[in-house]
Amino acid sequence: MTRPRFIVIGADAAGMSAASEARRVNPHLEIIAFDKGNFVSYSQCGMPYWLGGVVERREQLMARSVEGFARRDIHVHVRHEVVGIDTPRQTVRVRDLEGGREFDEPYDRLLIATGASPVEFPLPGRDLEGIFYLDVLEDAIRIDAYLREQQPRCAVVVGGGYVGLEMAENLTRRGLKVALVQRGDQVFHAVDLELAQVLHAELERHGVDLSLGEGILQACGGQDGRVQEVQTNLGNLDADLVILATGVRPNVDLSTAAGIPFGPTGAIAVDEQMETSVRGVFAAGDCAEHFHRVLRKPVWIPLGTTANKQGRVVGRNAAGGQAKFAGIVATAVAQVFSLGVARTGLNEWEAKAAGFEVETVLLESTDQAGYMPDAEGLTVKLVVEMRTGRLLGGQAVGKRGADKRVDVLATALYASLTVTQLEELDLAYAPPFNSVWDPVQAAATRVRRHGPAQSSS
Amino acid sequence: MTRPRFIVIGADAAGMSAASEARRVNPHLEIIAFDKGNFVSYSQCGMPYWLGGVVERREQLMARSVEGFARRDIHVHVRHEVVGIDTPRQTVRVRDLEGGREFDEPYDRLLIATGASPVEFPLPGRDLEGIFYLDVLEDAIRIDAYLREQQPRCAVVVGGGYVGLEMAENLTRRGLKVALVQRGDQVFHAVDLELAQVLHAELERHGVDLSLGEGILQACGGQDGRVQEVQTNLGNLDADLVILATGVRPNVDLSTAAGIPFGPTGAIAVDEQMETSVRGVFAAGDCAEHFHRVLRKPVWIPLGTTANKQGRVVGRNAAGGQAKFAGIVATAVAQVFSLGVARTGLNEWEAKAAGFEVETVLLESTDQAGYMPDAEGLTVKLVVEMRTGRLLGGQAVGKRGADKRVDVLATALYASLTVTQLEELDLAYAPPFNSVWDPVQAAATRVRRHGPAQSSS
């Protein structure tokens, strides 16, 4: 009797979580993963910290090796690109990127974990040396080599999302003068403007030349073929290194060519079990849609935590189970120099865009009891549905404890709690850790008192 | 028309939360509070940090003054002891501790917030100078004066609960050599032995002479009437300062004399609205019972956070509302030198004592991504109901982030989540803040995989 075969396209967080979980649940399954890259199972989120010298060795980012997977009877083939999926025949077409050979592999269950890639935009001068995206580990290796070999002194980072912020910090740490160029009126659109403004001040305090309302138009180089400056709508910026952190899009070409539909977000549409419209074919991670528990509809918010969770669901289902993905509440956190900034659920403009009538509160508080000498400022914002008092989202920024407050709010959102219930939470209190009412509870109290949403108790 | 009158016995956290909330809800109410002490509305939990010199000035512990309350039409009389309650006549008998005068005051609604006091035990030598409890601010002032005037060099702290641990740390900070004497086999019984052992090592690393299985038998002094040493079952300890941190009991003499019953815990029995068996008479804070959401029955766990919450409920009800106290999940946190230790719900022995069949997991993890150079060890323990997979409790200890994980677990407990649901939480991840699976989720996964409790999804 032949073993049922589970093929995984893409050895990223989603793919390898699925492979690992499938193996754990079903020792009998044959599990094969193909990845067009050179590396397997590493922390993409750790790359900026390796580039900044915080993480000393690249190998520390590696969670598990091809050999490590092989010992668990999971066969990973790197430098092997899947170039076609034949769903009626249940085969994938694989190209060995070293030999160029192509071959078909049959599957019983298939996972598409092709991830996301940077949005390429037509930038004159893009081919100059010293202009990089930071997507896969190969990119990080190239950036590191350029930093060591060319010793650039001034960098322009284009885009103020996670990657842009983390690269601005880590290039500064590595001794470069950094300009951060952002098209809109704030960095980190995941939070509302009031919180982003705290980040703006922090960036400038650490010497980052932040420019809002600025877009890059062209890159210019010298005779050596290396970038020297960038032109923007506002002027010219010296740049012997450029990081384009302008966002990503889901990789759906392969799935679309195979007739597997993407949803309204542009990512692959999946059901609760992470199955696509083709039976036995799953999608997970940055190429798939993510069900949003607050909006009650699919969104596309590519993050490693979600990829891991969706991967595990696929792994169990590929192994014959009936697992369901519970959905996300769109939680995120980033370090920006000495500040942590975090958010969960819907921010104010997202909530309004979704048609909610909201009450919001912005509370300036402290992470410890106010009388403790090391207490640091902590700003908390809550977004609450006016009619019901239900929490829709929360944000926090501060030197310490923003992540803690947002994790409490993320747990509260998972359980659909109201602000009144937030006030009732029995959170840990001692002067070095909190006020007697945690800032999220103090914020909840303000909403309850001032908003029309009255408590039931 | 006379104003309805709300009398509060005890101007502590519960009493003054009630008074403040009642005023907010009902501007018409007459509100009067009596307290036999000299101070109103201060942070008891902050006292050890003032004694340690962390908090510079005593005034920083004061939340609001008698004058501040008066401006809000709340009349606080300190140095006034309520010595009797006549429930049929709806009056309290008040003694002015300065003049000695006694008088009756009628009430429409009454709150008993008499708090808790140290358990006095018959200790030979108790009357020597230099032996203190740390209960009210007056105690802290006496200890501070003794520290400044007598310059004691070696202290014995009896009891390893919150107060004992915080005093051991803060007296060490103030330059004293500290011996911590604990009857049982561990400090901080709120957590299980595995976590307490981490605290034992930390205490010793900071020079605290920890002695387990040791009980104090007698205190001995010199001709100056000051304590010099204590005798224990294990020998003699030099001591020119002794802190007795051997626990507290609820102050129920006044209520019992008035025929207001206490419950099985020894604290005043209350219903969901914090009303005693006598209509219109409420009790809250350290003298009252506290409904435990996991055990589904009243317990007595005196803590400032609970006192504040119960006080607010009483305030709204005294003002004519119908508020209910949602109950506690027994969350607590303490700082022990460089470690935070926190817990929520039931620990292993509490769960077993309550008749639960449990699965537990102890996970050694890190507070940040493991490859970050500043990542610190974090130990997490979960206690889970075997049959259902429902979380019953959690504990954590580490240099950073124990409070965060326990606050997530406290929120999960409030919402009665299972370990499978814990795994589904969308918690904030970036390498400086977490691993891609938070330690509480990694622990939940272990329980799910190894325990008989299988997930529904």
Side-chain angles (χ1 to χ4, degrees):
Chain A
M1 190 180 121
T2 59
R3 300 164 75 186
R5 182 186 266 190
F6 176 36
I7 285 187
V8 173
I9 307 174
D12 67 354
M16 298 321 294
S17 290
S20 297
E21 189 74 2
R23 170 57 65 237
R24 216 170 266 117
V25 177
N26 185 342
H28 183 59
L29 204 64
E30 187 180 359
I31 305 175
I32 306 172
F34 297 106
D35 197 289
K36 64 180 177 180
N38 299 287
F39 302 99
V40 58
S41 200
Y42 58 91
S43 169
Q44 275 186 303
C45 302
M47 295 189 309
Y49 297 94
W50 172 59
L51 288 171
V54 176
V55 176
E56 232 175 274
R57 292 171 304 105
R58 198 180 79 204
E59 293 70 30
Q60 294 174 268
L61 302 182
M62 304 293 178
R64 191 170 273 138
S65 64
V66 170
E67 295 72 30
F69 281 111
R71 278 193 293 275
R72 301 179 61 205
D73 196 18
I74 295 168
H75 303 281
V76 186
H77 302 273
V78 292
R79 294 180 286 279
H80 281 72
E81 182 173 10
V82 173
V83 294
I85 305 171
D86 186 335
T87 57
R89 285 180 54 226
Q90 298 204 166
T91 61
V92 293
R93 182 94 186 148
V94 183
R95 181 181 299 151
D96 178 345
L97 296 180
E98 286 187 349
R101 188 176 66 98
E102 286 194 9
F103 53 94
D104 288 337
E105 286 285 350
Y107 64 81
D108 296 290
R109 302 283 165 87
L110 180 69
L111 168 60
I112 303 170
T114 43
S117 292
V119 179
E120 292 266 357
F121 63 99
L123 177 73
R126 170 70 187 88
D127 292 336
L128 290 165
E129 274 185 65
I131 302 180
F132 300 95
Y133 292 100
L134 178 59
D135 176 29
V136 290
L137 188 53
E138 286 85 345
D139 296 317
I141 291 169
R142 278 191 288 269
I143 295 170
D144 177 62
Y146 198 81
L147 283 165
R148 283 186 290 103
E149 288 159 18
Q150 305 300 338
Q151 302 279 330
R153 290 183 175 190
C154 48
V156 170
V157 175
V158 184
Y162 303 91
V163 175
L165 290 170
E166 287 168 356
M167 284 308 294
E169 176 179 344
N170 279 293
L171 290 174
T172 300
R173 186 175 275 135
R174 197 139 164 175
L176 281 81
K177 178 85 190 88
V178 176
L180 180 58
V181 170
Q182 169 78 5
R183 259 177 203 279
D185 60 351
Q186 68 166 83
V187 299
F188 204 54
H189 274 96
V191 297
D192 291 319
L193 183 58
E194 307 97 299
L195 281 88
Q197 280 167 340
V198 182
L199 302 181
H200 296 168
E202 181 74 359
L203 288 163
E204 283 166 2
R205 207 166 68 79
H206 286 86
V208 173
D209 179 14
L210 173 66
S211 181
L212 299 171
E214 187 165 25
I216 185 172
L217 300 176
Q218 128 167 348
C220 310
Q223 297 209 330
D224 57 3
R226 291 203 287 267
V227 67
Q228 282 181 337
E229 64 170 29
V230 294
Q231 288 174 14
T232 76
N233 58 321
L234 299 180
N236 291 354
L237 293 168
D238 289 340
D240 39 22
L241 174 68
V242 176
I243 304 290
L244 299 173
T246 43
V248 293
R249 55 163 187 75
N251 293 325
V252 298
D253 290 353
L254 178 70
S255 50
T256 304
I260 295 161
F262 51 84
T265 71
I268 302 170
V270 288
D271 64 13
E272 270 192 308
Q273 304 193 18
M274 304 307 299
E275 202 164 13
T276 68
S277 66
V278 178
R279 196 147 167 71
V281 179
F282 300 87
D286 294 1
C287 65
E289 292 191 325
H290 312 117
F291 181 75
H292 194 298
R293 293 176 69 92
V294 181
L295 291 172
R296 309 305 301 170
K297 68 173 188 181
V299 295
W300 183 67
I301 302 175
L303 279 178
T305 40
T306 307
N308 272 276
K309 290 192 184 83
Q310 291 192 329
R312 276 201 188 162
V313 168
V314 171
R316 287 158 78 180
N317 291 337
Q322 291 287 319
K324 288 176 183 170
F325 178 59
I328 62 168
V329 292
T331 310
V333 64
Q335 181 85 29
V336 181
F337 292 97
S338 71
L339 292 179
V341 58
R343 61 92 72 189
T344 188
L346 306 177
N347 62 26
E348 186 172 349
W349 66 263
E350 289 169 338
K352 286 176 175 169
F356 287 104
E357 246 196 290
V358 300
E359 185 81 17
T360 69
V361 62
L362 187 78
L363 183 78
E364 305 283 349
S365 185
T366 51
D367 68 323
Q368 304 183 329
Y371 53 74
M372 294 295 277
D374 294 339
E376 297 282 359
L378 181 72
T379 303
V380 171
K381 180 170 180 174
L382 298 185
V383 179
V384 178
E385 187 178 31
M386 199 181 273
R387 189 174 53 81
T388 61
R390 180 168 66 112
L391 181 72
L392 295 175
Q395 305 161 51
V397 63
K399 284 203 181 172
R400 280 191 312 247
D403 57 325
K404 161 166 137 174
R405 274 63 185 205
V406 161
D407 273 355
V408 166
L409 294 173
T411 309
L413 271 179
Y414 176 95
S416 301
L417 300 193
T418 65
V419 280
T420 302
Q421 292 176 308
L422 268 186
E423 289 180 85
E424 292 176 348
L425 292 178
D426 187 9
L427 300 176
Y429 162 62
F433 300 97
N434 223 337
S435 300
V436 68
W437 291 98
D438 184 274
V440 304
Q441 297 182 298
T445 300
R446 281 213 198 165
V447 176
R448 175 177 55 79
R449 284 191 184 143
H450 299 139
Q454 285 303 314
S455 82
S456 59
S457 66
Chain B
M1 191 180 123
T2 59
R3 301 164 74 187
R5 183 186 267 189
F6 177 35
I7 285 187
V8 173
I9 307 174
D12 67 354
M16 296 322 295
S17 291
S20 297
E21 188 75 3
R23 169 57 65 237
R24 217 170 267 116
V25 176
N26 186 343
H28 184 58
L29 204 62
E30 186 181 1
I31 306 176
I32 305 172
F34 296 105
D35 197 288
K36 64 180 177 179
N38 299 287
F39 302 99
V40 59
S41 202
Y42 59 90
S43 169
Q44 276 186 303
C45 303
M47 296 188 308
Y49 297 95
W50 172 57
L51 288 172
V54 176
V55 176
E56 232 174 273
R57 292 172 304 106
R58 198 180 80 201
E59 292 69 32
Q60 294 175 270
L61 302 182
M62 302 294 174
R64 191 169 273 137
S65 64
V66 169
E67 294 72 30
F69 281 110
R71 280 193 292 277
R72 301 179 61 206
D73 196 17
I74 294 169
H75 302 281
V76 185
H77 302 274
V78 294
R79 293 180 289 277
H80 281 73
E81 182 174 9
V82 173
V83 294
I85 305 170
D86 186 335
T87 58
R89 285 180 54 225
Q90 298 205 166
T91 62
V92 294
R93 181 96 187 145
V94 183
R95 181 181 300 151
D96 177 346
L97 296 181
E98 286 188 350
R101 188 176 67 97
E102 287 195 7
F103 54 96
D104 288 339
E105 286 285 350
Y107 63 80
D108 296 289
R109 299 285 164 86
L110 180 69
L111 167 59
I112 302 169
T114 43
S117 293
V119 180
E120 291 267 356
F121 62 98
L123 177 73
R126 170 70 187 88
D127 292 336
L128 290 165
E129 275 186 65
I131 302 180
F132 299 96
Y133 292 99
L134 178 58
D135 176 28
V136 289
L137 187 53
E138 286 84 345
D139 297 318
I141 291 170
R142 278 192 288 268
I143 295 170
D144 178 62
Y146 198 81
L147 283 164
R148 283 186 290 102
E149 288 159 18
Q150 305 301 337
Q151 302 279 329
R153 294 182 169 186
C154 48
V156 170
V157 174
V158 184
Y162 303 92
V163 174
L165 290 170
E166 287 169 356
M167 283 308 294
E169 176 180 343
N170 278 294
L171 290 173
T172 300
R173 186 175 277 134
R174 196 137 166 178
L176 281 80
K177 179 84 190 85
V178 176
L180 180 58
V181 169
Q182 170 78 6
R183 260 175 203 280
D185 60 350
Q186 68 167 82
V187 298
F188 204 55
H189 273 94
V191 298
D192 290 320
L193 183 59
E194 308 97 300
L195 281 90
Q197 280 167 341
V198 182
L199 302 182
H200 297 167
E202 181 72 0
L203 287 165
E204 282 165 2
R205 207 165 69 78
H206 286 86
V208 173
D209 178 17
L210 173 66
S211 179
L212 299 171
E214 186 166 24
I216 184 173
L217 300 176
Q218 134 167 349
C220 310
Q223 298 209 329
D224 57 4
R226 292 203 289 268
V227 67
Q228 284 183 338
E229 65 169 28
V230 294
Q231 287 175 15
T232 75
N233 58 321
L234 300 179
N236 291 355
L237 293 167
D238 288 339
D240 38 23
L241 174 68
V242 176
I243 304 290
L244 299 173
T246 42
V248 292
R249 55 165 185 74
N251 293 325
V252 298
D253 291 353
L254 179 69
S255 50
T256 304
I260 296 162
F262 51 85
T265 71
I268 302 170
V270 287
D271 64 15
E272 270 190 310
Q273 305 193 18
M274 303 307 299
E275 202 164 12
T276 68
S277 65
V278 178
R279 196 145 170 72
V281 178
F282 301 87
D286 294 1
C287 65
E289 291 191 327
H290 311 117
F291 182 75
H292 194 300
R293 292 175 70 92
V294 182
L295 291 173
R296 308 305 301 169
K297 67 173 189 182
V299 296
W300 183 66
I301 304 176
L303 279 178
T305 41
T306 306
N308 272 275
K309 290 193 185 82
Q310 291 192 329
R312 277 202 187 161
V313 168
V314 171
R316 288 158 78 182
N317 291 337
Q322 291 286 321
K324 289 176 183 169
F325 178 59
I328 62 170
V329 293
T331 311
V333 63
Q335 180 85 29
V336 181
F337 291 98
S338 70
L339 293 178
V341 57
R343 59 93 73 187
T344 188
L346 305 177
N347 63 25
E348 186 171 348
W349 66 263
E350 288 168 338
K352 287 177 174 167
F356 287 103
E357 247 196 289
V358 299
E359 185 81 18
T360 70
V361 61
L362 187 79
L363 183 78
E364 305 283 348
S365 185
T366 51
D367 67 324
Q368 304 183 329
Y371 53 74
M372 294 295 276
D374 294 337
E376 297 282 358
L378 181 72
T379 303
V380 170
K381 179 170 180 173
L382 297 185
V383 179
V384 178
E385 187 179 31
M386 198 180 272
R387 188 174 54 81
T388 61
R390 179 169 67 111
L391 180 71
L392 295 175
Q395 304 161 53
V397 62
K399 282 201 181 175
R400 279 191 314 246
D403 57 327
K404 162 166 135 172
R405 274 63 186 205
V406 161
D407 273 356
V408 166
L409 294 173
T411 309
L413 271 179
Y414 176 94
S416 302
L417 302 191
T418 65
V419 280
T420 303
Q421 292 175 309
L422 267 187
E423 289 180 83
E424 292 176 348
L425 293 179
D426 186 8
L427 300 176
Y429 162 63
F433 300 97
N434 223 338
S435 299
V436 69
W437 291 98
D438 184 273
V440 303
Q441 297 182 299
T445 300
R446 282 215 195 162
V447 175
R448 175 178 54 79
R449 283 190 184 141
H450 298 140
Q454 285 303 313
S455 82
S456 59
S457 65

